[in-house]
Amino acid sequence: MDRPRRVAILASGSGSNFEAIVRYAREHAWPVSFTLLTDRPRARVVRRANRLGVPTVILPSRRFPSREAYDRALFAELQALEPLDLVVLAGYMKILPPEIVRHFAKRMVNIHPSLLPRYPGLHAIERAFRAGEKKTGVTVHWVDEGVDTGPVIAQVEVPILPEDTLETLEARVHEAEHRIYPRVIGELLGLPTDG
Ligand code: GRF
């Protein structure tokens, strides 16, 4: 229970899930040290990490001569952080190469804003909304070599209401993400959650 855990979070964008996870961990006094890794130096997630005092590894993907070189550097950074209990993808916008996925098999999770296997890939909330679905949701899943295809760990439904706009629906889906992701991570790490 008190063994310190080590968690790497990969993110490229706003970082609202990153922040929700770190705040939840602190509220519950989890013995976890987080490191953020990002491919986007100017992403909002970097400012959130600075504000929260989370160490950050920035790998500006544009500065690498090739995608392979970038992926090798990312893998090296992740290996330097070992032993890692969990690698958490939270809006990381690149597809990871098979070597990294295999190395972290059953130690790497992702969150996706739909009820997978429905609407994998980009713009999942918008696609569900425009298709006239009555519900969508959020999925936390293990990462495998496909795009949003790994085994599902947890799902939560979000109803699509007649009065919803894309913006109100997005807000509720993100709220659901911020509720489910920290709890699932806590359960996977064997740490206390509030259900
Ligand atoms: C979330 O909707 C998540 O499901 C998807 O990317 C988005 C990241 O949002 N994988 P944020 O950067 O955590 O705010």
Side-chain angles (χ1 to χ4, degrees):
M1 163 74 190
D2 285 324
R3 176 177 69 84
R5 315 299 206 276
R6 295 167 62 81
V7 173
I9 304 183
L10 269 65
S12 308
S14 158
S16 67
N17 281 282
F18 164 83
E19 179 155 354
I21 294 161
V22 172
R23 286 194 181 284
Y24 193 92
R26 292 186 179 165
E27 279 159 21
H28 292 76
W30 287 355
V32 175
S33 60
F34 292 103
T35 305
L36 171 71
L37 294 96
T38 186
D39 54 331
R40 307 255 175 98
R42 302 228 279 244
R44 188 166 167 209
V45 70
V46 175
R47 297 200 291 282
R48 292 190 201 252
N50 290 341
R51 184 155 38 78
L52 292 162
V54 174
T56 302
V57 175
I58 299 179
L59 292 169
S61 48
R62 287 200 197 138
R63 300 235 188 104
F64 287 83
S66 65
R67 179 59 188 273
E68 290 70 29
Y70 166 80
D71 282 337
R72 271 198 304 277
L74 175 65
F75 197 11
E77 293 289 352
L78 284 167
Q79 285 176 307
L81 293 170
E82 292 272 35
L84 284 166
D85 294 278
L86 206 59
V87 177
V88 172
L89 307 187
Y92 179 66
M93 295 307 288
K94 288 186 163 56
I95 294 170
L96 289 164
E99 307 81 68
I100 297 184
V101 172
R102 278 189 225 124
H103 182 86
F104 291 104
K106 289 279 169 167
R107 283 193 291 158
M108 185 183 278
V109 293
N110 182 41
I111 189 159
H112 184 76
S114 77
L115 294 172
L116 290 173
R118 308 272 293 152
Y119 304 103
L122 294 174
H123 310 301
I125 305 173
E126 182 172 352
R127 280 156 51 222
F129 181 73
R130 304 239 183 270
E133 301 280 0
K134 298 269 185 301
K135 66 178 184 191
T136 184
V138 171
T139 303
V140 180
H141 64 94
W142 294 112
V143 174
D144 69 6
E145 290 176 36
V147 176
D148 304 322
T149 50
V152 171
I153 302 168
Q155 282 186 317
V156 55
E157 287 185 6
V158 175
I160 302 180
L161 308 172
E163 63 270 28
D164 261 330
T165 62
L166 179 58
E167 289 68 33
T168 60
L169 177 62
E170 281 174 343
R172 285 208 319 290
V173 170
H174 293 311
E175 277 168 28
E177 291 186 324
H178 302 159
R179 277 197 308 278
I180 188 177
Y181 213 11
R183 285 172 177 76
V184 170
I185 289 165
E187 281 161 21
L188 293 174
L189 293 171
L191 293 168
T193 63
D194 41 25

